[in-house]
Amino acid sequence: MATPIKPDELWAQWSRKQWKPHYLFTGQEDFLIDQAVDLACRHWLGEKPDPLSLDRLDAETQTLEDIIQAAQTVPFFGGARVLRIQNASQLSVKEQEELVNVLGTLSAETHCLLIWGKEWRRDDAQKPLVDAVCKTGQVVIFWPLFPEQAERWAMERAKYYRKSLSPHAAHWLVQQSGESLRLLDQELAKCAAYVGEKPGIELEDVQTSFVYEKASSPF
């Protein structure tokens, strides 16, 4: 029986060009989920996708019929299509079963990215939609990172801003901001702007940037 995997396994699969037709992303680390969605969309649709090739749907505010209709719509000019379906956990068991039946009929060019949208529970693995995607696609759980993992992530993420982040700076930043990657990314962006042209971010840079931000806040 197929089981959900962790993000590291997903990145490894994608680095080996091993892609599934559909994915279900769950877990509390929504920043990594957004990154995974972005990478998948760029893989299937290219760097500058046609807006008509990407449908954004929300099971919390739209009906199952809306979702099914979007999934079955064929692009006028052909090519790949991606459906990003938020809050898939809001679908009832019966609705999940109906959607599972539809997934099996979609063309090979249509891909679904299902965002579960609530904290993952062990019994969620038995839900029809999760079970089906586990078998025909891939379910990935984005757990919160441990502090040491968050520090390594911050050092790697700094490269996105064309900077290097020292281990001491990463350690201090995680201690102050916590392990939320969205918050860490915000702090890295501020640090990168603070150091300007300097290629590296050191401990004193992070501390000064952090303290300056707090001092300038009206709260």
Side-chain angles (χ1 to χ4, degrees), residues 10 14 20-27 33-34 36-37 40-41 44 54-59 64 67-68 71 82-91 95-96 98-100 102-104 106 110-118 120 127-134 136-142:
L10 178 70
W14 286 358
K20 304 287 187 178
H22 309 297
Y23 289 89
L24 189 150
F25 297 145
T26 185
I33 290 177
D34 286 345
V37 169
C41 287
W44 287 317
L54 175 61
D55 278 308
R56 300 174 183 271
L57 302 150
D58 194 324
L64 176 65
I67 295 172
I68 290 176
V82 175
L83 276 74
R84 175 175 179 163
I85 305 172
Q86 293 288 144
N87 297 307
S89 62
Q90 297 299 310
L91 296 171
E95 288 174 327
Q96 289 185 37
E98 290 183 49
L99 184 56
V100 165
V102 172
L103 289 180
L106 299 180
T110 299
H111 308 282
C112 291
L113 296 172
L114 299 141
I115 316 302
W116 196 235
K118 74 176 183 65
W120 177 257
K127 299 292 176 62
L129 188 56
V130 178
D131 182 58
V133 176
C134 255
T136 62
Q138 189 69 72
V139 174
V140 187
I141 305 178
F142 291 82

